[in-house]
Amino acid sequence: MTRKHYQASTYQARTSVGYLVKRAQGAMLESIEPAFAAQGFTLMQWVVLMYLRDGLARTAKDICAEFRHDSGALTRVLDQLEERGCIERRRSTRDRRSVELHLTARGRQIVQSLVPVVVDRLNLALADFSREEVQELTRLLNKLIVGVEAIPREEAVS
């Protein structure tokens, strides 16, 4: 039986898990974006570099799907990163219709130089958490993601 954690009659946005996750994400972005700007990068450029570094994406389509980003806007970001020598686009050897994205040596160097910026901001945000609480929060967020992804699309709209 599915647990009912919310009731339509008492539901309020400010106590919704979705609202709280989105608000936490927004606060994190507002904290990190100025630090990236000081380094001459945008958050989306950072996301692309990290997705490539960590193997979360190989193509622009992968990044759009994973990050829920508009393909036209992403193309501009990729163009900027390519112009800066951070990434290269290469025709896939498995499927000539597909273009894969690859970090250049410069791109790897930039990612490494920006990681401390992110780490510092995350550590500041989590300063009042114990190590165990951070591990539990990470576990719970991953559990939430799995639960949300398991909802059939037809039901998600209902």
Side-chain angles (χ1 to χ4, degrees):
M1 182 169 145
T2 303
R3 290 190 193 114
K4 303 287 184 183
H5 296 285
Y6 295 101
Q7 300 298 323
S9 61
T10 59
Y11 178 81
Q12 293 185 11
R14 76 176 57 107
T15 59
S16 163
V17 168
Y19 169 80
L20 293 170
V21 167
K22 183 71 173 172
R23 185 154 179 230
Q25 179 195 26
M28 293 291 293
L29 295 178
E30 287 178 16
S31 168
I32 291 174
E33 283 178 333
F36 284 146
Q39 303 291 324
F41 283 86
T42 66
L43 176 70
M44 196 60 216
Q45 289 170 333
W46 160 256
V47 167
V48 169
L49 295 175
M50 283 301 296
Y51 275 35
L52 295 177
R53 185 198 84 162
D54 290 352
L56 297 173
R58 295 169 54 141
T59 66
K61 182 180 178 183
D62 295 341
I63 295 169
C64 287
E66 182 73 24
F67 199 70
R68 310 286 194 264
H69 201 68
D70 173 75
S71 63
L74 181 64
T75 297
R76 289 185 293 280
V77 170
L78 296 176
D79 290 345
Q80 293 164 352
L81 288 171
E82 190 172 39
E83 288 169 16
R84 294 174 82 166
C86 298
I87 65 165
E88 350 179 273
R89 292 172 168 122
R90 293 187 212 146
R91 210 48 68 215
S92 171
T93 56
R94 291 181 295 270
D95 180 355
R96 299 244 343 119
R97 296 169 295 175
S98 181
V99 175
E100 294 179 350
L101 306 170
H102 297 272
L103 272 183
T104 63
R106 176 168 166 68
R108 278 187 281 287
Q109 178 185 34
I110 288 170
V111 167
Q112 287 312 111
S113 73
L114 292 174
V115 166
V117 171
V118 174
V119 168
D120 288 346
R121 298 297 169 146
L122 286 172
N123 284 331
L124 286 170
L126 297 169
D128 292 334
F129 288 70
S130 69
R131 184 173 305 278
E132 293 78 20
E133 287 173 327
V134 171
Q135 290 171 343
E136 181 67 359
L137 177 60
T138 302
R139 185 189 72 76
L140 290 171
L141 288 171
N142 279 310
K143 186 175 180 178
L144 176 63
I145 291 165
V146 168
V148 170
E149 289 176 347
I151 300 170
R153 290 185 184 254
E154 304 80 40
E155 287 183 33
V157 176
S158 302

Short mmCIF file of all heavy atoms in Angstrom, two decimals, residues 48-49 52-53 57-60 63 75 77-92 98-108 110:
data_model
loop_
_atom_site.label_atom_id
_atom_site.label_comp_id
_atom_site.label_asym_id
_atom_site.label_seq_id
_atom_site.Cartn_x
_atom_site.Cartn_y
_atom_site.Cartn_z
N VAL A 48 28.16 21.47 -17.88
CA VAL A 48 28.62 20.73 -19.05
C VAL A 48 30.00 20.12 -18.78
O VAL A 48 30.22 18.93 -19.03
CB VAL A 48 28.67 21.63 -20.31
CG1 VAL A 48 29.40 20.94 -21.45
CG2 VAL A 48 27.26 22.02 -20.73
N LEU A 49 30.91 20.92 -18.26
CA LEU A 49 32.26 20.43 -17.99
C LEU A 49 32.23 19.27 -16.99
O LEU A 49 32.93 18.26 -17.17
CB LEU A 49 33.15 21.56 -17.49
CG LEU A 49 33.43 22.69 -18.49
CD1 LEU A 49 34.21 23.82 -17.82
CD2 LEU A 49 34.14 22.18 -19.73
N LEU A 52 30.73 16.02 -18.47
CA LEU A 52 31.72 15.35 -19.33
C LEU A 52 32.81 14.71 -18.49
O LEU A 52 33.22 13.57 -18.73
CB LEU A 52 32.30 16.33 -20.35
CG LEU A 52 31.30 16.88 -21.37
CD1 LEU A 52 31.97 17.89 -22.28
CD2 LEU A 52 30.67 15.75 -22.18
N ARG A 53 33.30 15.43 -17.49
CA ARG A 53 34.36 14.90 -16.64
C ARG A 53 33.93 13.63 -15.92
O ARG A 53 34.67 12.66 -15.83
CB ARG A 53 34.79 15.94 -15.60
CG ARG A 53 35.99 15.45 -14.78
CD ARG A 53 36.18 16.21 -13.52
NE ARG A 53 35.31 15.66 -12.47
CZ ARG A 53 35.49 15.88 -11.19
NH1 ARG A 53 36.47 16.65 -10.77
NH2 ARG A 53 34.68 15.36 -10.30
N ALA A 57 27.38 12.37 -19.20
CA ALA A 57 26.85 12.67 -20.53
C ALA A 57 27.97 12.52 -21.56
O ALA A 57 29.14 12.73 -21.24
CB ALA A 57 26.29 14.08 -20.57
N ARG A 58 27.55 12.18 -22.78
CA ARG A 58 28.51 12.10 -23.90
C ARG A 58 28.11 13.01 -25.05
O ARG A 58 28.92 13.33 -25.90
CB ARG A 58 28.61 10.66 -24.39
CG ARG A 58 29.19 9.74 -23.37
CD ARG A 58 29.04 8.31 -23.76
NE ARG A 58 29.57 8.04 -25.08
CZ ARG A 58 30.23 6.95 -25.39
NH1 ARG A 58 30.44 6.03 -24.49
NH2 ARG A 58 30.66 6.76 -26.60
N THR A 59 26.82 13.37 -25.08
CA THR A 59 26.30 14.19 -26.18
C THR A 59 25.48 15.34 -25.61
O THR A 59 25.09 15.33 -24.44
CB THR A 59 25.39 13.35 -27.11
OG1 THR A 59 24.22 12.98 -26.38
CG2 THR A 59 26.09 12.12 -27.65
N ALA A 60 25.19 16.30 -26.48
CA ALA A 60 24.34 17.42 -26.07
C ALA A 60 22.96 16.90 -25.67
O ALA A 60 22.36 17.39 -24.71
CB ALA A 60 24.23 18.43 -27.21
N ILE A 63 22.96 15.75 -22.10
CA ILE A 63 22.96 16.87 -21.14
C ILE A 63 21.57 17.48 -21.06
O ILE A 63 21.08 17.76 -19.96
CB ILE A 63 24.02 17.92 -21.52
CG1 ILE A 63 25.42 17.31 -21.40
CG2 ILE A 63 23.90 19.16 -20.64
CD1 ILE A 63 26.53 18.16 -21.99
N THR A 75 23.27 24.62 -27.10
CA THR A 75 24.17 24.75 -28.26
C THR A 75 25.04 25.99 -28.11
O THR A 75 26.24 25.95 -28.38
CB THR A 75 23.35 24.80 -29.57
OG1 THR A 75 22.66 23.56 -29.71
CG2 THR A 75 24.25 25.03 -30.77
N VAL A 77 25.95 27.40 -25.28
CA VAL A 77 26.92 27.10 -24.22
C VAL A 77 28.06 26.25 -24.78
O VAL A 77 29.23 26.50 -24.51
CB VAL A 77 26.23 26.39 -23.03
CG1 VAL A 77 27.24 25.85 -22.03
CG2 VAL A 77 25.24 27.32 -22.36
N LEU A 78 27.71 25.23 -25.56
CA LEU A 78 28.73 24.37 -26.15
C LEU A 78 29.64 25.15 -27.10
O LEU A 78 30.86 24.95 -27.11
CB LEU A 78 28.08 23.19 -26.88
CG LEU A 78 27.29 22.22 -26.00
CD1 LEU A 78 26.62 21.16 -26.86
CD2 LEU A 78 28.15 21.61 -24.92
N ASP A 79 29.03 26.04 -27.89
CA ASP A 79 29.84 26.88 -28.78
C ASP A 79 30.84 27.72 -27.98
O ASP A 79 32.01 27.82 -28.35
CB ASP A 79 28.94 27.81 -29.60
CG ASP A 79 28.12 27.09 -30.66
OD1 ASP A 79 28.43 25.92 -30.98
OD2 ASP A 79 27.15 27.71 -31.16
N GLN A 80 30.39 28.30 -26.87
CA GLN A 80 31.27 29.12 -26.04
C GLN A 80 32.41 28.28 -25.47
O GLN A 80 33.57 28.71 -25.47
CB GLN A 80 30.48 29.76 -24.89
CG GLN A 80 29.47 30.79 -25.35
CD GLN A 80 28.44 31.11 -24.26
OE1 GLN A 80 28.39 30.47 -23.21
NE2 GLN A 80 27.61 32.11 -24.53
N LEU A 81 32.08 27.10 -24.98
CA LEU A 81 33.12 26.23 -24.40
C LEU A 81 34.10 25.75 -25.46
O LEU A 81 35.29 25.63 -25.19
CB LEU A 81 32.47 25.05 -23.68
CG LEU A 81 31.76 25.38 -22.37
CD1 LEU A 81 30.97 24.18 -21.86
CD2 LEU A 81 32.75 25.88 -21.32
N GLU A 82 33.60 25.50 -26.65
CA GLU A 82 34.48 25.08 -27.74
C GLU A 82 35.40 26.22 -28.15
O GLU A 82 36.61 26.02 -28.35
CB GLU A 82 33.65 24.59 -28.93
CG GLU A 82 34.47 23.90 -30.00
CD GLU A 82 33.61 23.26 -31.06
OE1 GLU A 82 32.57 23.86 -31.45
OE2 GLU A 82 33.97 22.16 -31.51
N GLU A 83 34.85 27.44 -28.25
CA GLU A 83 35.67 28.61 -28.59
C GLU A 83 36.77 28.86 -27.55
O GLU A 83 37.85 29.32 -27.89
CB GLU A 83 34.79 29.86 -28.70
CG GLU A 83 33.91 29.90 -29.93
CD GLU A 83 32.87 31.01 -29.89
OE1 GLU A 83 33.00 31.94 -29.05
OE2 GLU A 83 31.91 30.94 -30.69
N ARG A 84 36.49 28.54 -26.31
CA ARG A 84 37.47 28.73 -25.23
C ARG A 84 38.46 27.56 -25.12
O ARG A 84 39.34 27.56 -24.26
CB ARG A 84 36.74 28.90 -23.90
CG ARG A 84 35.93 30.19 -23.85
CD ARG A 84 35.13 30.30 -22.61
NE ARG A 84 35.95 30.80 -21.51
CZ ARG A 84 35.45 31.25 -20.38
NH1 ARG A 84 34.15 31.26 -20.19
NH2 ARG A 84 36.25 31.68 -19.43
N GLY A 85 38.27 26.57 -25.97
CA GLY A 85 39.18 25.43 -25.97
C GLY A 85 38.94 24.43 -24.84
O GLY A 85 39.84 23.66 -24.50
N CYS A 86 37.73 24.42 -24.29
CA CYS A 86 37.42 23.54 -23.16
C CYS A 86 36.86 22.19 -23.59
O CYS A 86 37.02 21.19 -22.89
CB CYS A 86 36.43 24.21 -22.22
SG CYS A 86 37.04 25.72 -21.48
N ILE A 87 36.16 22.18 -24.72
CA ILE A 87 35.57 20.94 -25.23
C ILE A 87 35.83 20.82 -26.72
O ILE A 87 36.16 21.81 -27.38
CB ILE A 87 34.04 20.86 -24.98
CG1 ILE A 87 33.31 21.93 -25.78
CG2 ILE A 87 33.72 20.92 -23.50
CD1 ILE A 87 31.80 21.71 -25.88
N GLU A 88 35.67 19.61 -27.22
CA GLU A 88 35.68 19.38 -28.66
C GLU A 88 34.48 18.52 -29.00
O GLU A 88 34.05 17.70 -28.19
CB GLU A 88 36.92 18.67 -29.19
CG GLU A 88 38.06 18.48 -28.31
CD GLU A 88 39.22 17.74 -28.96
OE1 GLU A 88 39.21 16.50 -28.92
OE2 GLU A 88 40.12 18.42 -29.46
N ARG A 89 33.97 18.74 -30.19
CA ARG A 89 32.89 17.92 -30.71
C ARG A 89 33.53 16.95 -31.71
O ARG A 89 34.30 17.37 -32.56
CB ARG A 89 31.85 18.78 -31.42
CG ARG A 89 31.07 19.70 -30.50
CD ARG A 89 30.22 20.63 -31.35
NE ARG A 89 29.23 21.35 -30.61
CZ ARG A 89 29.15 22.68 -30.56
NH1 ARG A 89 30.01 23.44 -31.22
NH2 ARG A 89 28.20 23.26 -29.88
N ARG A 90 33.17 15.67 -31.57
CA ARG A 90 33.70 14.65 -32.49
C ARG A 90 32.58 13.74 -32.93
O ARG A 90 31.74 13.34 -32.13
CB ARG A 90 34.75 13.78 -31.79
CG ARG A 90 36.01 14.48 -31.41
CD ARG A 90 37.02 13.45 -30.88
NE ARG A 90 37.85 14.07 -29.88
CZ ARG A 90 38.35 13.45 -28.82
NH1 ARG A 90 38.08 12.18 -28.61
NH2 ARG A 90 39.10 14.10 -27.96
N ARG A 91 32.59 13.41 -34.21
CA ARG A 91 31.64 12.46 -34.75
C ARG A 91 31.83 11.12 -34.03
O ARG A 91 32.95 10.67 -33.82
CB ARG A 91 31.97 12.30 -36.21
CG ARG A 91 31.04 12.00 -37.20
CD ARG A 91 29.76 12.46 -37.61
NE ARG A 91 29.58 13.77 -38.17
CZ ARG A 91 28.48 14.46 -37.94
NH1 ARG A 91 27.53 14.01 -37.17
NH2 ARG A 91 28.31 15.62 -38.49
N SER A 92 30.76 10.50 -33.62
CA SER A 92 30.82 9.21 -32.93
C SER A 92 31.34 8.14 -33.88
O SER A 92 30.95 8.10 -35.05
CB SER A 92 29.44 8.81 -32.42
OG SER A 92 29.45 7.49 -31.93
N SER A 98 25.70 10.85 -34.72
CA SER A 98 25.84 11.41 -33.38
C SER A 98 27.17 12.15 -33.23
O SER A 98 28.20 11.71 -33.74
CB SER A 98 25.76 10.28 -32.35
OG SER A 98 25.87 10.78 -31.05
N VAL A 99 27.12 13.27 -32.51
CA VAL A 99 28.33 14.04 -32.21
C VAL A 99 28.57 13.94 -30.71
O VAL A 99 27.70 14.27 -29.90
CB VAL A 99 28.18 15.52 -32.63
CG1 VAL A 99 29.38 16.33 -32.20
CG2 VAL A 99 27.96 15.61 -34.14
N GLU A 100 29.75 13.44 -30.36
CA GLU A 100 30.11 13.30 -28.95
C GLU A 100 30.91 14.50 -28.49
O GLU A 100 31.64 15.12 -29.28
CB GLU A 100 30.90 12.02 -28.73
CG GLU A 100 30.08 10.77 -28.99
CD GLU A 100 30.86 9.49 -28.81
OE1 GLU A 100 32.11 9.53 -28.66
OE2 GLU A 100 30.22 8.42 -28.81
N LEU A 101 30.77 14.81 -27.21
CA LEU A 101 31.50 15.92 -26.60
C LEU A 101 32.65 15.36 -25.77
O LEU A 101 32.48 14.36 -25.08
CB LEU A 101 30.56 16.73 -25.71
CG LEU A 101 29.28 17.24 -26.37
CD1 LEU A 101 28.33 17.81 -25.32
CD2 LEU A 101 29.61 18.28 -27.42
N HIS A 102 33.79 16.02 -25.87
CA HIS A 102 34.97 15.57 -25.12
C HIS A 102 35.65 16.76 -24.46
O HIS A 102 35.79 17.82 -25.08
CB HIS A 102 35.97 14.88 -26.07
CG HIS A 102 35.42 13.65 -26.70
ND1 HIS A 102 35.52 12.42 -26.11
CD2 HIS A 102 34.74 13.47 -27.86
CE1 HIS A 102 34.93 11.52 -26.89
NE2 HIS A 102 34.45 12.13 -27.95
N LEU A 103 36.08 16.55 -23.22
CA LEU A 103 36.86 17.58 -22.54
C LEU A 103 38.25 17.63 -23.15
O LEU A 103 38.84 16.59 -23.43
CB LEU A 103 37.03 17.22 -21.05
CG LEU A 103 35.98 17.66 -20.07
CD1 LEU A 103 36.40 17.24 -18.66
CD2 LEU A 103 35.73 19.14 -20.11
N THR A 104 38.76 18.82 -23.32
CA THR A 104 40.15 18.98 -23.74
C THR A 104 41.01 19.04 -22.48
O THR A 104 40.49 19.10 -21.35
CB THR A 104 40.33 20.29 -24.53
OG1 THR A 104 40.01 21.38 -23.65
CG2 THR A 104 39.44 20.32 -25.76
N ALA A 105 42.31 19.06 -22.67
CA ALA A 105 43.22 19.22 -21.52
C ALA A 105 42.90 20.53 -20.79
O ALA A 105 42.87 20.58 -19.56
CB ALA A 105 44.67 19.19 -21.98
N ARG A 106 42.63 21.58 -21.56
CA ARG A 106 42.27 22.87 -20.95
C ARG A 106 40.96 22.75 -20.17
O ARG A 106 40.82 23.29 -19.08
CB ARG A 106 42.16 23.95 -22.02
CG ARG A 106 41.70 25.30 -21.50
CD ARG A 106 41.88 26.40 -22.53
NE ARG A 106 41.18 27.62 -22.20
CZ ARG A 106 41.46 28.43 -21.19
NH1 ARG A 106 42.46 28.14 -20.38
NH2 ARG A 106 40.76 29.53 -20.98
N GLY A 107 39.99 22.03 -20.72
CA GLY A 107 38.72 21.83 -20.04
C GLY A 107 38.90 21.11 -18.72
O GLY A 107 38.32 21.48 -17.70
N ARG A 108 39.74 20.07 -18.71
CA ARG A 108 40.03 19.34 -17.46
C ARG A 108 40.70 20.25 -16.45
O ARG A 108 40.38 20.21 -15.25
CB ARG A 108 40.90 18.11 -17.75
CG ARG A 108 40.11 16.92 -18.25
CD ARG A 108 40.96 15.67 -18.36
NE ARG A 108 41.80 15.65 -19.55
CZ ARG A 108 41.35 15.43 -20.77
NH1 ARG A 108 40.07 15.24 -20.96
NH2 ARG A 108 42.17 15.41 -21.80
N ILE A 110 40.41 23.51 -16.21
CA ILE A 110 39.42 24.47 -15.71
C ILE A 110 38.49 23.82 -14.70
O ILE A 110 38.19 24.41 -13.66
CB ILE A 110 38.66 25.12 -16.88
CG1 ILE A 110 39.59 26.08 -17.61
CG2 ILE A 110 37.40 25.82 -16.40
CD1 ILE A 110 39.09 26.61 -18.91
#
